[in-house]
Structures are given as C-alpha cells and as structure tokens.
Amino acid sequence: MTQAMIAVQDLTKTYGARVAIDRLTFSAQKGEILGFLGPNGAGKTTTMRILTGYMPPTTGSAQIAGYDVVENSLEARKHIGYLPETVPLYNDMSVLDYLVYMGKLRRVPQVEDRAWEVLERVGMEHRADSFIGSLSKGMRQRVGLAQAILHQPDVLILDEPTIGLDPTQVVEVRRLIQEVGKEHTVLLSTHILAEAQQLCDRVLIINQGRIIAEDTPENLQLRLQGGARVLVDVAGEAGDDLLERLRALPGVRLANRLADGRFEVVAEEGQEVRPAIARTVLESGYGLLELHRAAMSLEEIFLQLVQEEAEEAALAEPEEAKAEETALEPEEAHTDEEA
Amino acid sequence: MRTLWIVARREYARYFTTPAAYLAAFLFLLVLGIIFYSNIAASVMRSFMMPGYAPGVEIIVNPMTTLLIFMVPAFTMRLLAEEQRLGTLELLLTAPVRDAELIAGKWLGSFLFVATMIAITLLYPLTLNWLVKPSIDWGPVITSYLGLLLMAAALTALGTAISALFSNQIAAFVATLAFFLLLWLIGFPSSSTGGISSVWQYLDFSQHFYDTLARGILDLRDVIYYLSVAALGVFAGTVIIETRRWR
C-alpha cells in the first residue's frame, strides 16, 4: 500500500467557544488533486494553516509525507509548498531575488538555476528583474506559485489560488495547477465550484467546519441526482400525446414539459432510457433535434447538501427547539410590560 | 546556523535598498557631525581658558549613545511588523525555519547595520586625533566603541522583540522608543535621591556606559549586562512569535 501524502485524523481547532473545524478526517495520495470546497468561513484556511505548521490543532493529528505536523514540524514543512490566500511577497525585491531568497531558506541546491526553471514554468522569466511591487495581480499569483513549487515539494497547498484574477489569468493559473498536479499532491481550496469540478480528482465539501461530502466530482453528481436527467428537444409542435408516451416508457420516473418547449425526462436509478426516448419521439412522427443527459452542477449539489444537512439537524432537535420557544415566551412578555 | 545567516544577510542587504533606512542613517550622521563640530569649537574656547586641556573621545560617544536610543527604533520597527502586515510571516513560519533562527537572524541583520553606521563614525576620533596635539588617548576610544557595539546589540534585540508584537511599524517604533527611554532613565530617580535601590541602577542602560566603558574601564559586569539584555531580547522575540501560533 502506498503511503498517503496527506493524512488527517479527527482534526479539530477551536477559538475559544467557536469551533473552526470539527473532527476532520481525510487523506490524499501521491499525484492526486484534492479540492477543498466550501463557503467562506467554512474552515478551509484554518485546516491549511494547521497542515503547513503555521498553527497547531486543538486536538487530532495530521501527517505530511509521513511526518506529524506538530511533533515533527520542521521535517513536515520541508515537504510542503504553500501559497496562502494573501500572496506573501516582498514588494521591494525583484522576482528573481525573492525566489533565490526563499530557495536558500529551503536549502534548494543550485538555487539560481532552479529559480529560472520555475520562472519559465510559470511564464514569468521576462519579468525576473522587475520589482514585485510593480507586478499585476495575476503575475503576483504566478510568482507566489513559483515560490510554492521551487523546492519540488511532495505536497502543494494552495489557498484560493485563483481568487481576484481576471478570466484569462484564471485559465492560466488553472492550467498551471493541472500541470503541477501531475507530479505533486495538491490540496486546493476554492469556493468556486466549477473550478473544483475542472481541476480536482476528488472533492471534499466542507461546511461550518465539517466534511459533508467526499467523492469525485462525477460521483457526487450521480449520487445526488439519483437517476439520470435527460433533456429532449423535438422539432415541430409536440403535444401532450408525446408527453404521455414518454411517461409510459419503462424506467422513466417522471417526464415534464419545460417552459422553453423541451421535455425533461428523469429515469429511475441505473436505467438507460435514451434509446427508448429517441425511438418514441421518431415513432410519434416528430423530428429529434437534441437529446442529452443534463449534469447537475456542483453549485446545485452544494446547495442541496447544505440544505439536507440543515434539515437533518432540524429533525434531530425539534423537541429542544420547542422547549426553548416555550421557555422564551414568558420572558418576552415580561420585557414587553416593562417597556 | 546557516538559516540564521541567510535571514541576517537578507535583512542587512535590505537596509541598503530602502530610502527610509538611508534617511535615518543620514540623519544620524548629520546630527552627530553638527554636535562634533560645536563640541570642537567649544573645546577650542576652553583650551584658551585652561591651558593643557584637550578633548577626548567622550565628546563623540556621549551624544552617540543618546542618538542610538532614538535611531535604533527606526531601524528595528519594520523587522517583523512589516512581515506581519505583508503576510510574509506566514511564509517564513511555514518554511523549515526555526522561530529562534528567524528572530536571531532578524536581530543580527539589524545589529550589523547599526554596527556599520557606528564604524563609519570612527572618522570622528581620527579627525579629533589630527586636531589634538600630541594625540588623543586611544584606550577610551577602544572601550567606548566596544560599549557602543554592545549597546547596539542590546537595543536591536529589544527592538526586534517589540517589532514582533505589532503589524504596524509606527506602533512598533513608538513602543520601542518608549521602552528604551524607560531603560535609559530607570536608574535616574534612585541615583538622584541617594541611591537606595541598586537594582534599579544595575538595570539602568546608561549606568553601564558613562561611568566605565566611556572612561576606558572595561568591567566584565557591563559586558555581561549588555549581552544578557541582547539574549533576553532574542528570547522574548522567539516566545512572542511562538505564542502567535497559538492564537
């Protein structure tokens, strides 16, 4: 069995009474791009800061390349490249000097050659002598990324690497991450779901400090959708007769007519209904313009997961909530009188 | 140790790329030059009235100690405050660098810069030697400059530690200056009222300089005092950075 590059067990961090992350457990293998997905304040940055040795966890443990981040912090840190959310750059240094300095701190051999190498990799070799303060946001991000991969770390931790970039820069940085992810284990946080979908082999969805789902982007879609959803566009004025026939097909759970005139067919789980749909449309005398399986976007998945969780929580404690309500009522009455 | 040296070299080089550091160094040397000139002029007058009088190195080093109290905070204020403001501290604290190495490196860089400035002022004793016939007493020059270096080591270490407390350079400057003034004057009340508490006097920053080192007396107690303050500063800075991680 290959050793996990990132191994996290029951990681918890509390700030006073506030729980930032709550018993997180996950792992990532070599060469895997793991997406860390969640709304702002979900605990992504806190987790990353613990993994990089910036702050210790309250309880639980984490290993990077087999080294515990608390017990063996220096050794673990050697195996990490880190790009924090605010790109840490010295504005009064030139790009090359900055990389050479960071490389020296990390004991990179032949540091100048290596710095040029990563500059080429991020497409910044023409700005090697520019002061960092004069760079655009996208370029700063690229220098930050160059710094993170400089020492060829086993694990790359990127906190919102595409935040605040313009669309072209976003594409560039994503391409770079994909490239880098072939050799390194990447843990990437984002709150942009499309990004996770595009880049990651596996996605952890985190909300209020807890993992609420973990799977490949494709499987998450399948799992939440139940059966496949098929959209059918037909030529001509198709009426209710077609809708009835579609509903009658074996394996079809439901069929609807959408506002734009297309038909939406949802199949039972594990059923392939597309050939039957195509046949039915043609046999009914209509022309088939388009037939495709619609994917649920991660956005929808995310909202659904968060909602499901809230519902579960509500189901679990209705008694308590009621008790609180009744307890509150008399007090409220008092304050009203006083007022 | 190598990491410490990498941090120190970078910090030292950085002073030469920032206009603020040049300006501060310029002011330091300018003010010292003016004082030197007026002290020479005063000494000339005095030698007319008291034949045989010749000024010693004290006319240079005594004002310099006061200047250090005011200038060192300007050189140390940015050391860690700036790193915190820029977010680069997160980078340094997640690199394989020990907290103590980071702080000691920062301290060493700033100390070497102040030491460089002190070395430049050696021009004044040389000038004075040229003015005074037959020559000045070089013993006090050597101990005074040793004292200045020791004092600079102690002050920069304290400044480094205080800078670690802030993410705002101005706040770091004011706090450092206030602390230095306190140290500078701590023995003053007790010495003026008859010296009841020798503890306060021992803690006093100036007591270890004016009465001994500036007069050519090398007392081990003074050396130990400054070195222990320097060590304390580096230690306190390390503790401050370590506790930051737990916040």
Side-chain angles (χ1 to χ4, degrees):
Chain A
M1 198 190 111
T2 52
Q3 183 195 25
M5 275 296 153
I6 305 174
V8 173
Q9 292 100 30
D10 293 323
L11 205 64
T12 302
K13 177 81 184 176
T14 55
Y15 296 99
R18 197 172 73 80
V19 180
I21 55 171
D22 188 7
R23 285 161 294 166
L24 292 192
T25 300
F26 64 91
S27 65
Q29 305 300 323
K30 197 170 167 58
E32 190 175 25
I33 302 185
L34 183 62
F36 220 33
L37 195 66
N40 294 328
K44 291 172 291 181
T45 300
T46 302
T47 310
M48 292 186 152
R49 284 183 162 174
I50 293 170
L51 288 179
T52 53
Y54 181 67
M55 53 162 78
T58 309
T59 58
S61 70
Q63 280 99 38
I64 298 288
Y67 296 102
D68 191 283
V69 296
V70 178
E71 306 285 313
N72 215 337
S73 180
L74 282 184
E75 206 52 46
R77 284 189 237 164
K78 280 183 195 166
H79 294 269
I80 294 179
Y82 179 36
L83 178 62
E85 195 176 340
T86 44
V87 186
L89 301 171
Y90 298 103
N91 293 331
D92 57 351
M93 275 179 118
S94 79
V95 173
L96 187 65
D97 286 349
Y98 169 72
L99 289 180
V100 169
Y101 175 55
M102 291 317 299
K104 279 183 181 165
L105 279 182
R106 291 185 168 277
R107 306 284 164 82
V108 175
Q110 272 110 44
V111 63
E112 288 223 12
D113 296 345
R114 178 65 191 153
W116 279 108
E117 225 174 286
V118 292
L119 276 177
E120 267 169 46
R121 186 109 191 246
V122 300
M124 287 289 294
E125 69 275 21
H126 61 295
R127 297 299 295 269
D129 294 324
S130 305
F131 279 106
I132 289 172
S134 70
L135 299 180
S136 71
K137 183 133 197 201
M139 288 180 173
R140 292 172 66 89
Q141 204 81 21
R142 281 192 272 171
V143 176
L145 203 56
Q147 165 275 129
I149 59 175
L150 187 64
H151 50 295
Q152 296 176 301
D154 294 322
V155 175
L156 201 56
I157 295 184
L158 310 172
D159 198 354
E160 309 252 1
T162 58
I163 202 166
L165 300 182
D166 71 36
T168 358
Q169 293 167 337
V170 168
V171 172
E172 273 173 42
V173 169
R174 282 186 193 160
R175 185 186 49 75
L176 210 61
I177 292 169
Q178 257 168 339
E179 229 173 80
V180 168
K182 286 173 194 155
E183 305 146 34
H184 310 260
T185 304
V186 180
L187 176 63
L188 163 92
S189 86
T190 178
H191 64 266
I192 307 162
L193 299 130
E195 187 165 285
Q197 204 159 6
Q198 186 195 337
L199 289 175
C200 303
D201 302 315
R202 205 149 52 87
V203 176
L204 292 175
I205 297 183
I206 175 171
N207 189 40
Q208 294 179 335
R210 287 191 295 138
I211 295 176
I212 55 176
E214 174 184 359
D215 216 327
T216 62
E218 295 77 30
N219 280 349
L220 276 176
Q221 278 170 350
L222 281 179
R223 197 175 102 196
L224 285 160
Q225 215 166 292
R229 184 160 146 260
V230 181
L231 291 175
V232 189
D233 197 1
V234 299
E237 285 294 308
D240 288 342
D241 56 321
L242 180 59
L243 192 61
E244 288 306 319
R245 274 185 214 163
L246 289 174
R247 277 181 182 154
L249 284 174
V252 167
R253 194 161 68 193
L254 51 97
N256 286 310
R257 200 156 178 186
L258 299 176
D260 58 2
R262 288 188 298 175
F263 293 90
E264 179 194 36
V265 181
V266 178
E268 301 282 348
E269 205 158 336
Q271 296 281 339
E272 179 53 272
V273 293
R274 281 176 291 183
I277 293 173
R279 226 175 297 123
T280 310
V281 171
L282 295 175
E283 280 168 7
S284 311
Y286 299 105
L288 181 59
L289 292 178
E290 197 187 350
L291 176 74
H292 81 105
R293 204 168 120 164
M296 195 178 187
S297 72
L298 270 175
E299 245 112 62
E300 291 167 286
I301 293 174
F302 181 72
L303 286 175
Q304 193 172 329
L305 278 171
V306 172
Q307 203 181 339
E308 271 173 25
E309 229 212 356
E311 276 165 17
E312 269 170 41
L315 279 176
E317 341 165 334
E319 300 293 316
E320 253 176 66
K322 263 183 210 161
E324 265 173 42
E325 263 172 45
T326 43
L328 277 176
E329 269 164 29
E331 263 178 50
E332 271 166 32
H334 272 292
T335 44
D336 280 353
E337 269 169 39
E338 277 162 27
Chain B
M1 262 325 256
R2 220 183 101 199
T3 311
L4 192 164
W5 185 238
I6 293 164
V7 176
R9 259 195 10 212
R10 144 109 182 98
E11 216 49 60
Y12 182 72
R14 202 161 178 208
Y15 284 111
F16 295 94
T17 60
T18 52
Y22 271 113
L23 193 68
F26 168 74
L27 271 177
F28 176 78
L29 295 171
L30 177 76
V31 171
L32 197 63
I34 293 169
I35 294 173
F36 180 65
Y37 177 80
S38 42
N39 275 344
I40 292 289
S43 301
V44 170
M45 296 299 291
R46 204 163 159 191
S47 65
F48 281 131
M49 286 179 278
M50 298 165 57
Y53 168 81
V57 74
E58 73 279 354
I59 68 162
I60 300 151
V61 293
N62 285 358
M64 215 148 101
T65 54
T66 319
L67 273 175
L68 279 182
I69 296 286
F70 287 91
M71 300 310 293
V72 167
F75 295 127
T76 57
M77 64 182 185
R78 67 180 293 172
L79 287 175
L80 287 134
E82 172 106 322
E83 303 267 7
Q84 299 190 51
R85 192 180 62 81
L86 288 174
T88 45
L89 191 66
E90 192 166 347
L91 195 64
L92 294 175
L93 294 186
T94 56
V97 176
R98 286 188 184 82
D99 294 354
E101 286 175 324
L102 174 66
I103 296 292
K106 289 270 177 192
W107 161 75
L108 187 60
S110 65
F111 166 68
L112 288 178
F113 181 74
V114 177
T116 308
M117 245 170 39
I118 291 172
I120 294 172
T121 67
L122 275 170
L123 283 172
Y124 292 120
L126 289 173
T127 314
L128 189 66
N129 188 46
W130 177 66
L131 289 171
V132 174
K133 295 293 173 234
S135 79
I136 57 168
D137 186 357
W138 285 97
V141 176
I142 293 165
T143 55
S144 295
Y145 270 82
L146 177 71
L148 284 173
L149 289 179
L150 285 168
M151 202 180 275
L155 290 176
T156 46
L158 293 173
T160 308
I162 295 171
S163 177
L165 286 169
F166 295 93
S167 58
N168 178 327
Q169 289 189 39
I170 303 300
F173 175 82
V174 174
T176 311
L177 183 59
F179 190 71
F180 285 2
L181 289 175
L182 183 76
L183 259 188
W184 196 244
L185 300 170
I186 203 167
F188 185 62
S190 60
S191 64
S192 59
T193 53
I196 307 154
S197 172
S198 56
V199 177
W200 294 121
Q201 292 210 23
Y202 185 76
L203 287 176
D204 189 303
F205 221 81
S206 49
Q207 299 281 327
H208 292 277
F209 187 77
Y210 291 136
D211 297 343
T212 51
L213 289 162
R215 295 184 182 169
I217 302 163
L218 187 61
D219 188 334
L220 199 61
R221 275 178 300 179
D222 303 326
V223 177
I224 289 172
Y225 170 80
Y226 287 121
L227 288 182
S228 35
V229 172
L232 186 77
V234 172
F235 176 72
T238 308
V239 170
I240 290 165
I241 288 297
E242 262 167 16
T243 48
R244 270 187 58 83
R245 292 176 185 270
W246 292 92
R247 282 212 295 254

